[in-house]
Amino acid sequence: MSRRGWALFLAMSVIWGVPYLLIKVAVGEVSPVVVVFARCVIGAALLLPWTIARGQLRPALRHWKPLLAFTVLEMTGPWLLLSWAEQSLSSSLTGLLVAGVPFAAALAARLAGEEDRLTPARLVGMAVGVVGIAVLLGLDLEGAQLLPLLAVALVVVGYATAPMIVSRALPDVPGVAASSIALFVTAVVYAPFAVPRLGQVGDASSEALLSLVLLGVLCTAVALALFFALIREVGPQRALVITFVNPAVAVLLGVWLLDEPFTLGIALGLPLVLAGCVLATGRGARGPRPDVEAIDAAAR
């Protein structure tokens, strides 16, 4: 993987290791639909003016069908399901479950006939990564309800298939343009349900409000622009290997910021996660890489 690919990979590993904690804090005081709505409104407010100013809105809308599919699979469905599930699931367990995305992506790619094949080394890397996360966080499903688990399973399916749409059907659409449109559409969809509940935001604590702002700015607007660049650079399957590192980042943030104990599981599991990522992102047989000029222009 190139230096640019590694830089994007590390940035996304950190940035998308944060939302599980932020969502957990926010849904403690604000309903899930308001969390998703606020996240989308903030993200769209940052990205849509940029898209319009650069004249990218109309060209992007010509691809409205795959854009709509990407929106549903990456945002409209998963973000509400994830926020709802975290009302009863811990952020650590949710992150662990979402780590199954690369396997779902590999299966989807094989069914779709993608040329980006998984080598034995990459398969071993994924397996090592999953073992590392299991050691790191502990697989504790005791008391977990079935419906939240099924909700996270649907999130995994959405996150696994959405990047394929980007690489196959949206190669010429700048990432910022696609993200801004998807955020706007999702906000419009949830507006009738969220607006009547906006009073919850006024009653929320400063911690919950800060969580909503960070979700919208860092974990949405900035993250989506970088994620499109990562997909273009390393392919959809390798891009999703960040889901191995995300839960580890969440645990380390807890140790650093919340004075949580550095356990034996962390000491043993984190090296396995990092080793798995190195193997899973290693060079292997792949097809031609999609054109990256559009996303390069958008990411500058």
Side-chain angles (χ1 to χ4, degrees):
M1 191 157 59
S2 66
R3 288 184 179 179
R4 183 172 186 269
W6 274 114
L8 290 168
F9 179 87
L10 293 175
M12 288 305 307
S13 295
V14 173
I15 291 174
W16 272 350
V18 176
Y20 303 108
L21 174 62
L22 298 179
I23 292 172
K24 188 67 177 179
V25 173
V27 297
E29 303 181 37
V30 180
S31 65
V33 70
V34 174
V35 172
V36 177
F37 178 73
R39 181 179 185 179
C40 291
V41 167
I42 294 172
L46 293 174
L47 297 184
L48 195 57
W50 185 6
T51 299
I52 295 174
R54 303 190 69 173
Q56 297 172 344
L57 182 61
R58 183 172 296 180
L61 289 175
R62 294 171 185 163
H63 305 271
W64 68 270
K65 289 184 179 180
L67 266 176
L68 182 60
F70 168 78
T71 300
V72 172
L73 292 171
E74 181 71 24
M75 298 180 194
T76 311
W79 287 1
L80 183 63
L81 291 170
L82 203 59
S83 298
W84 178 79
E86 285 207 46
Q87 288 182 308
S88 57
L89 299 179
S90 69
S91 60
S92 296
L93 177 57
T94 304
L96 175 57
L97 295 174
V98 175
V101 167
F103 291 101
L107 177 60
R110 183 60 59 90
L111 294 175
E114 286 281 342
E115 295 183 9
D116 190 4
R117 301 298 183 185
L118 292 175
T119 64
R122 290 173 64 190
L123 286 172
V124 170
M126 288 186 178
V128 171
V130 169
V131 171
I133 292 175
V135 173
L136 179 65
L137 300 177
L139 186 57
D140 184 12
L141 298 179
E142 182 179 356
Q145 300 177 3
L146 179 60
L147 287 180
L149 294 176
L150 291 177
V152 178
L154 291 176
V155 171
V156 169
V157 173
Y159 282 173
T161 52
M164 291 177 58
I165 296 175
V166 173
S167 63
R168 292 168 65 96
L170 300 172
D172 300 321
V173 177
V176 171
S179 299
S180 63
I181 294 171
L183 289 168
F184 178 80
V185 170
T186 302
V188 170
V189 169
Y190 287 120
F193 310 98
V195 171
R197 297 180 172 87
L198 287 181
Q200 298 174 356
V201 177
D203 297 332
S205 66
S206 58
E207 290 81 5
L209 293 176
L210 180 60
S211 295
L212 291 175
V213 172
L214 289 176
L215 275 172
V217 176
L218 179 64
C219 301
T220 301
V222 174
L224 284 171
L226 294 178
F227 188 51
F228 267 80
L230 180 62
I231 293 173
R232 299 292 200 272
E233 182 71 19
V234 304
Q237 292 183 40
R238 292 184 187 182
L240 290 174
V241 177
I242 61 171
T243 56
F244 284 148
V245 187
N246 295 157
V249 171
V251 171
L252 291 178
L253 288 175
V255 172
W256 180 34
L257 298 177
L258 302 178
D259 294 325
E260 296 176 352
F262 189 83
T263 65
L264 180 62
I266 295 175
L268 296 177
L270 184 56
L272 289 174
V273 171
L274 297 178
C277 286
V278 172
L279 289 172
T281 54
R283 187 176 301 276
R286 12 180 350 200
R289 192 176 72 183
D291 182 17
V292 300
E293 292 182 0
I295 188 60
D296 284 341
R300 290 194 185 107

